[in-house]
Amino acid sequence: MKCIAILESGNYVYKLNSELEKKGYDFEVISTPCSIAKGGCGLCLKFPEEYLGVIKAEAARINTPIKEVYRVISGFSKNKYERLY
């Protein structure tokens, strides 16, 4: 399953993604889905769920806190999102 991580700003998303790329990971920066966006940042990091620990550890290492993480549940016409934390 895929997950998305929402951070404080788009700059934090790009910073985290850049640090992960330096370590050989290839994740995707996407627009935050409207159904979970609460204003502010319109970007999030999309990644496979098995890398959640890597994402959390790297975010902590570079002092870039993650606000929320959601599991993406594919639906027939649109996705649903289950909050993990």
Side-chain angles (χ1 to χ4, degrees):
M1 288 218 152
K2 296 286 186 179
C3 287
I4 56 173
I6 299 173
L7 287 78
E8 289 290 330
S9 73
N11 287 337
Y12 284 161
V13 173
Y14 281 118
K15 178 181 176 183
L16 177 58
N17 191 47
S18 175
E19 292 298 317
L20 290 162
E21 284 178 347
K22 289 177 188 175
K23 294 187 174 197
Y25 297 103
D26 186 25
F27 302 129
E28 187 179 4
V29 175
I30 63 168
S31 296
T32 303
C34 294
S35 61
I36 58 174
K38 296 178 177 122
C41 178
L43 299 173
C44 60
L45 185 67
K46 185 177 180 182
F47 58 94
E49 188 170 357
E50 60 264 22
Y51 292 100
L52 180 56
V54 172
I55 302 294
K56 289 168 63 175
E58 190 62 23
R61 186 187 74 78
I62 63 172
N63 198 28
T64 306
I66 297 173
K67 288 174 51 175
E68 298 174 322
V69 175
Y70 291 86
R71 178 180 291 131
V72 180
I73 301 168
S74 296
F76 179 72
S77 61
K78 67 181 195 176
N79 293 333
K80 294 184 181 184
Y81 302 93
E82 175 186 350
R83 186 171 180 190
L84 299 179
Y85 78 89

